[in-house]
Amino acid sequence: MGEMKGLNQREYESRVLRLGISGGISCGKSTVAKILLEALCQNSIETHYLDVDTLRTQILGNNSSSSFRNVQNQLIEIFGNSIARTTGGINRRILSDIIFGDSKALALYEAVIDPIIFNECSRYLDSKKGVLLLESALLVEKR
């Protein structure tokens, strides 16, 4: 790739560009991410993608990670056993019924889940180089 504005090859290759894709439900975030990923990969640009909604689902799911189980246990403590699945993890439908429409319940939920989401995103993104695409419905509002 040669030199670029005073950067040698190694400095250029170690550069990171973080792009956040944010928006409401069904506004085209995933479509934009897919178009960007395809275009960048076609041009041989190292690209990584993280979907925060998928991460949130993993955190609430039947996962073996102790930090994820800790979050699940905190949520069960706050919202009761009705949100616990018998097979492990959190019943997202029941949890959604509780937190959406109740700003205090939503704030409690976010106080528990947001720190681990930020930590997991940072851990993932800090381990990568190139272009990093982060898709999240609440990207700007949360950070």
Side-chain angles (χ1 to χ4, degrees):
M1 200 149 236
E3 300 226 0
M4 182 175 181
K5 293 279 186 182
L7 297 177
N8 65 36
Q9 184 70 22
R10 187 173 43 172
E11 290 170 329
Y12 177 79
E13 289 173 354
S14 69
R15 299 296 255 185
V16 174
L17 174 64
R18 293 181 178 189
L19 298 174
I21 303 168
S22 182
I25 296 171
S26 296
C27 72
K29 296 181 300 291
S30 296
T31 301
V32 169
K34 182 180 177 186
I35 291 168
L36 283 171
L37 281 169
E38 288 175 1
L40 292 164
C41 290
Q42 284 176 357
N43 288 293
S44 301
I45 297 172
E46 184 175 354
T47 307
H48 305 278
Y49 170 75
L50 180 61
D51 179 350
V52 176
D53 291 335
T54 299
L55 175 60
R56 186 181 316 272
T57 299
Q58 291 171 350
I59 292 168
L60 297 176
N62 186 7
N63 192 296
S64 60
S65 165
S66 62
S67 59
F68 291 2
R69 282 195 309 272
N70 184 38
V71 167
Q72 294 170 9
N73 290 336
Q74 289 177 53
L75 292 172
I76 292 166
E77 241 179 73
I78 294 168
F79 298 111
N81 287 330
S82 67
I83 67 166
R85 290 191 177 277
T86 56
T87 57
I90 300 295
N91 185 318
R92 292 179 17 239
R93 185 188 56 77
I94 293 173
L95 179 62
S96 295
D97 289 346
I98 294 170
I99 64 173
F100 295 118
D102 181 341
S103 60
K104 289 180 183 175
L106 181 59
L108 287 170
Y109 165 76
E110 290 173 339
V112 172
I113 200 158
D114 284 354
I116 195 163
I117 288 175
F118 292 136
N119 289 341
E120 291 295 314
C121 286
S122 293
R123 189 170 59 86
Y124 176 79
L125 295 174
D126 289 347
S127 70
K128 306 296 182 195
K129 66 179 186 176
V131 176
L132 311 174
L133 297 176
L134 180 71
E135 178 185 338
S136 176
L138 301 173
L139 188 62
V140 175
E141 294 88 343
K142 294 295 172 189
R143 252 323 191 215

